[in-house]
């Protein structure tokens, strides 16, 4: 599977989404087309979670994870972790 995708005219998709083999995290407030591509392609296999990290939508640069967990910065709020 290969899909072309932009986030608000930016080709840097990895800045606004993080994908592991257990979950997908995308930025909230992004275009419906951006989110719908992840949900359509991955929604049947893994959960697609919409959240900000430390109040920003640039989540792909601030978090890293795998099937065992997620590493977030200390500026991440409790609400964002839920």
């Amino acid at each position: 599977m290969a899909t072309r995708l932009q986030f608000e005219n930016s080709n840097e998709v990895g800045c606004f989404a993080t994908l592991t083999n257990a979950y997908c995290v995308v930025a909230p407030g992004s275009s419906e087309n951006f989110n719908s591509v992840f949900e359509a392609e991955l929604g049947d296999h893994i959960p697609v979670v919409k959240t900000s990290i430390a109040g920003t939508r640039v989540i792909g640069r601030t978090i890293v994870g795998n099937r065992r967990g997620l590493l977030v910065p200390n500026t991440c709020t409790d609400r964002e972790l839920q």
Side-chain angles (χ1 to χ4, degrees), residues 18-46:
T18 296
L19 178 64
T20 72
N21 59 345
Y23 52 85
C24 177
V25 182
V26 296
S30 54
S31 69
E32 287 303 314
N33 183 40
F34 184 78
N35 290 337
S36 66
V37 168
F38 285 103
E39 290 172 356
E41 297 294 332
L42 303 172
D44 292 338
H45 308 288
I46 59 174

Side-chain angles (χ1 to χ4, degrees), residues 1-64:
M1 167 193 72
T3 303
R4 294 180 191 261
L5 185 61
Q6 285 187 327
F7 181 91
E8 297 179 2
N9 296 325
S10 173
N11 292 321
E12 302 293 331
V13 176
C15 289
F16 306 101
T18 296
L19 178 64
T20 72
N21 59 345
Y23 52 85
C24 177
V25 182
V26 296
S30 54
S31 69
E32 287 303 314
N33 183 40
F34 184 78
N35 290 337
S36 66
V37 168
F38 285 103
E39 290 172 356
E41 297 294 332
L42 303 172
D44 292 338
H45 308 288
I46 59 174
V48 177
V49 179
K50 297 176 192 172
T51 189
S52 61
I53 300 295
T56 182
R57 297 186 307 170
V58 185
I59 59 174
R61 301 276 188 197
T62 58
I63 63 175
V64 64

Side-chain angles (χ1 to χ4, degrees), residues 56-77:
T56 182
R57 297 186 307 170
V58 185
I59 59 174
R61 301 276 188 197
T62 58
I63 63 175
V64 64
N66 60 24
R67 63 185 169 90
R68 296 178 187 232
L70 183 66
L71 182 62
V72 300
N74 65 350
T75 53
C76 185
T77 65

